[in-house]
Amino acid sequence: MTIMHAIQGRHVRVTLRGDLDLKTAEPLRDALDKLVDRYRDKNLVLDLTEVDFVDSSGLGVILGRYRRLSAQGRQISLAGVKPSVRSILELAGVDSIISIGGDPVRGQTAAPKS
Amino acid sequence: MNRVEMRFLSLADNVGLARIAAAALAGQANFSIHDIEEIKVAVSEAVSNAIIHGYENRPDGWVDLIMELDQSGMTIIVEDAGVGIADVEQAREPAYSKDPERMGLGFVFMESFMHGLEVESTLGRGTQVRMRRFVTLSGELSRDAQ
């Protein structure tokens, strides 16, 4: 998994490349927690444009960061979500608590649900 | 008809290996890309459970993956010789997980994406998950599958 980040105004944009599963969950969690701790005044945007696969291990990382950030009054959103990944997120109900497909950094509206 | 049997160590690296093998075998049948994506999730969950819960993240356990294609679909068996599940019904409930970072959605995904799920487990001896996915035609289960 490749993890890159950039600061864009009030957001930390993290671009992920690879699958989010049991193998990548722990290093991803560690990397995101470091960013969350380092940039304490910023929200988190996960760019999943180059993520083709997410299972419950990957979802656990996303929801764990949602809980951390929410407790601090901060937000997490997902951008570039592919249909196959979106169906997983919707089945888990993630779309009801986290903005999916929207791009707050660039001011786009949320993508319509497929 | 085709049948594949794999045995691999309980390493996180092998979760991806297992789902790619499942996808490759499913690709030999009339599954859609969407179907194959869902089969990959189910296999990923079953193998992850074997590693995390069956072997409690020990890297030296063996996981068996048995996959069989027939005219109506695909049967997938994931088996470990780990600690077993004390209460299978409880383990299958949504949001049940011993790990706060996990969501307890593994069985939910398996049940949602497959057309049948059986779990047999014996404490101290291991767990077998058996899943079935039927080939669908134009959005409906094929006649053989009904």
Side-chain angles (χ1 to χ4, degrees), chain B residues 13-89:
Chain B
D13 293 85
N14 288 332
V15 177
L17 181 77
R19 67 170 175 265
I20 289 170
L25 185 63
Q28 297 177 8
N30 289 323
F31 288 111
S32 67
I33 292 174
H34 179 72
D35 292 342
I36 292 174
E37 287 298 324
E38 295 188 341
I39 290 169
K40 285 168 64 180
V41 175
V43 169
S44 196
E45 300 296 348
V47 174
S48 294
N49 276 353
I51 294 170
I52 298 166
H53 302 298
Y55 292 115
E56 299 179 319
N57 290 308
R58 271 178 33 224
D60 58 350
W62 287 109
V63 179
D64 288 301
L65 173 63
I66 301 158
M67 302 180 290
E68 194 165 287
L69 276 183
D70 56 43
Q71 287 184 330
S72 63
M74 184 172 180
T75 300
I76 300 169
I77 297 170
V78 177
E79 192 167 357
D80 67 67
V83 300
I85 302 171
D87 187 335
V88 171
E89 291 309 311

